[in-house]
Amino acid sequence: MTKLTVTFLGTSSAAPTRERGLPAIAVQREGEVVLLDCGEGAQRAFLAKRIGLNREMSVLVTHLHGDHVIGLLGLLQTMSMAQRTRALTIVGPSRLKEWIERTQALLQFGLSFRVEFLPARPGTVVRTRGFVVKAARAKHSVEAFAYMICEKPRPGVFFPDKAAALGVPEGELWSRLQRGRPVKVGERVVAPSDVMGPARRGRRVGYSGDTRPSASLARFFAGCDILIFDSTFKRGDREKALERKHSTCTEAAEVAKAASVHALALTHFSARYAGVASLVREARRVFPDTFAARDGMTVEVPQPDS
Amino acid sequence: MTKLTVTFLGTSSAAPTRERGLPAIAVQREGEVVLLDCGEGAQRAFLAKRIGLNREMSVLVTHLHGDHVIGLLGLLQTMSMAQRTRALTIVGPSRLKEWIERTQALLQFGLSFRVEFLPARPGTVVRTRGFVVKAARAKHSVEAFAYMICEKPRPGVFFPDKAAALGVPEGELWSRLQRGRPVKVGERVVAPSDVMGPARRGRRVGYSGDTRPSASLARFFAGCDILIFDSTFKRGDREKALERKHSTCTEAAEVAKAASVHALALTHFSARYAGVASLVREARRVFPDTFAARDGMTVEVPQPDS
């Protein structure tokens, strides 16, 4: 079974603390990385978690606030010094490209690899080897996007007994069926559905970025396996959440509940709180399958049916 | 005795390692901070070393390579979020101002305090409460400066016995003499030199930034108390040092020796070396009073006469 993991590289909000770095989250599957935001310090978190600098990678930027993007500059430079060769895809608000290119010109650094900038907009923003990534508008103080990283559907279970019973010899023809293509045995055509179970849906990781909660985000995140949601404030600090266009832990839980997700990860905690146990307690009153992200934590996204 | 300290916040070169962050060094005296370069991660090192965000502060930037300046963006933003009120002085190559202002515009962040940008150029670049800062040209692949942070001369030792013998009553008149001003006692004028030893020279911290060694830098750093010098490479990797316009540990030691400094701190180590003990050994063959900087290390700059 292919592992799909989420690693939290930075879990603070606007300012870092001694324990929490600025926002960055790595979703990994079969060597491929989807990086969600890239706050200052992300490249050192890559080192600590041994995420290679030449991996097949896409970066999804939610919005152009410094705490979510400044780490990109050092990451790009260090990738270049490490002689990265693979192209890097960056999805984000369109002025991100302008900022990176201006910075490159002023700080005089070239890159050893190609960067493909794709503008974020509602709908499918990029298809990678393992994922289809969708975006939706978030509600923040500047243009902002939420993302859903959808693992591509995986083929159904293959039944060797059925294939043998239909006279398909083991080897190349089995592989072809497993890849979803029909084969001919003598005069007879055997379809993949004759020897395989139904296709299994891919797993889905949702990420809100900085946002107020909304019914449209709950629809966007419907049924996802892990929802990572803005939880900057405690329930009692809702006024601050309203003013700064963030969410409270309780509001994150309400979105998770409305979206019927499988698990909720709280992150982007305000530096004002010494600990976050009370935020988790408050959220669990609304949505029990809640946990608090912490820097360096890796969670495996479970099978949809398990 | 006023303490003057040097705290190494980041001691790697172009790319960070698990143990070493990007270049940043804090010189501190009586609450005032002079920050030498500001690589990514400096703001978290401030937190770890409990350096306040509203301190009287000057930032001296040696050159506009990303590893020496990217940390400024997050530091400025976090200072603003902490409601910094004091003006901040930044000395560096003139395009630094352009880069910061462009970034502010694109990432939409204002500052709660005034920034005074001063262009780096050979000679005295800024006078602060406690220091006079001088700059000299360094030899790197882009315009680069070395800095000398000179503590202002301190008044000589005050002798209470002499003041009493001359009939100066303790209190306001003693303070005035200690501040270097003459006082009148009856018909007689008492000069500071009547009751105090000679003025003591201030302590000096030299910082090379990224550079090849040179005779002019050795003259610039003459007699400084601690010289912090580019030591990117081992002696055996001199070809790489030449090509990339850095110094080897041995070349750093040769500058320290020619400049008759009191102590040499090696820093800016290439990530290629797992440890730096051999760089210190090689440097000590030329200049014995050498040590290797490491992240989080604080050294006190000793009295010139001790």
Side-chain angles (χ1 to χ4, degrees), chain B residues 214-230:
Chain B
S214 77
S216 65
L217 280 180
R219 283 192 298 277
F220 177 65
F221 289 129
C224 75
D225 296 281
I226 290 188
L227 172 60
I228 304 161
F229 207 92
D230 180 336

Side-chain angles (χ1 to χ4, degrees), chain B residues 59-72:
Chain B
V59 186
L60 311 178
V61 171
T62 56
H63 66 296
L64 294 193
H65 275 160
D67 53 322
H68 290 249
V69 298
I70 284 170
L72 256 178

Side-chain angles (χ1 to χ4, degrees), chain A residues 6-254:
Chain A
V6 175
T7 300
F8 295 93
L9 304 175
T11 60
S12 82
S13 61
T17 67
R18 282 185 194 82
E19 297 76 27
R20 297 183 188 272
L22 293 165
I25 300 162
V27 177
Q28 296 182 77
R29 181 187 179 280
E30 284 193 333
E32 182 184 346
V33 183
V34 177
L35 182 63
L36 307 173
D37 284 329
C38 190
E40 180 176 358
Q43 65 167 322
R44 278 194 96 178
F46 268 55
L47 277 176
K49 301 304 292 187
R50 298 177 189 275
I51 302 173
L53 295 171
N54 198 23
R55 294 277 197 85
E56 199 169 351
M57 192 179 316
S58 315
V59 186
L60 311 178
V61 172
T62 56
H63 66 295
L64 294 193
H65 275 161
D67 53 322
H68 290 250
V69 297
I70 285 171
L72 256 179
L73 301 179
L75 183 64
L76 293 175
Q77 282 200 276
T78 297
M79 281 176 164
S80 256
M81 282 184 283
Q83 299 297 319
R84 180 183 176 92
T85 51
R86 294 176 195 265
L88 180 76
T89 300
I90 302 181
V91 180
S94 53
R95 299 187 81 190
L96 177 59
K97 180 170 189 283
E98 182 183 346
W99 176 62
I100 289 175
E101 290 178 348
R102 291 294 300 194
T103 296
Q104 275 193 266
L106 282 163
L107 303 188
Q108 300 181 48
F109 67 97
L111 296 179
S112 65
F113 54 95
R114 196 169 56 82
V115 174
E116 185 180 21
F117 286 98
L118 300 174
R121 50 174 172 65
T124 297
V125 287
V126 67
R127 290 172 193 275
T128 70
R129 175 162 54 91
F131 302 103
V132 175
V133 177
K134 297 174 181 179
R137 289 203 184 277
K139 290 170 74 174
H140 193 46
S141 53
V142 294
E143 181 185 41
F145 295 89
Y147 292 103
M148 179 105 95
I149 300 92
C150 308
E151 188 183 25
K152 288 181 177 169
R154 290 163 299 141
V157 177
F158 179 79
F159 300 107
D161 293 358
K162 292 190 181 180
L166 292 168
V168 186
E170 194 172 342
E172 173 52 29
L173 296 185
W174 283 25
S175 303
R176 195 181 292 183
L177 285 164
Q178 286 165 347
R179 291 198 303 272
R181 293 162 61 195
V183 301
K184 218 172 168 185
V185 182
E187 290 306 300
R188 180 172 184 179
V189 172
V190 177
S193 59
D194 295 334
V195 297
M196 291 170 74
R200 293 165 291 182
R201 81 159 174 83
R203 290 159 285 185
R204 288 170 298 190
V205 176
Y207 176 51
S208 70
D210 290 7
T211 192
R212 290 290 304 145
S214 78
S216 64
L217 281 180
R219 283 192 298 276
F220 178 64
F221 289 129
C224 74
D225 297 281
I226 290 188
L227 172 61
I228 304 160
F229 207 91
D230 180 335
S231 177
T232 310
F233 294 107
K234 282 187 181 178
R235 189 184 175 201
D237 287 331
R238 186 162 174 274
E239 283 305 310
K240 291 192 181 71
L242 275 163
E243 182 197 327
R244 301 178 197 175
K245 309 276 190 253
H246 285 292
S247 300
T248 68
C249 53
T250 307
E251 290 171 331
E254 285 160 355

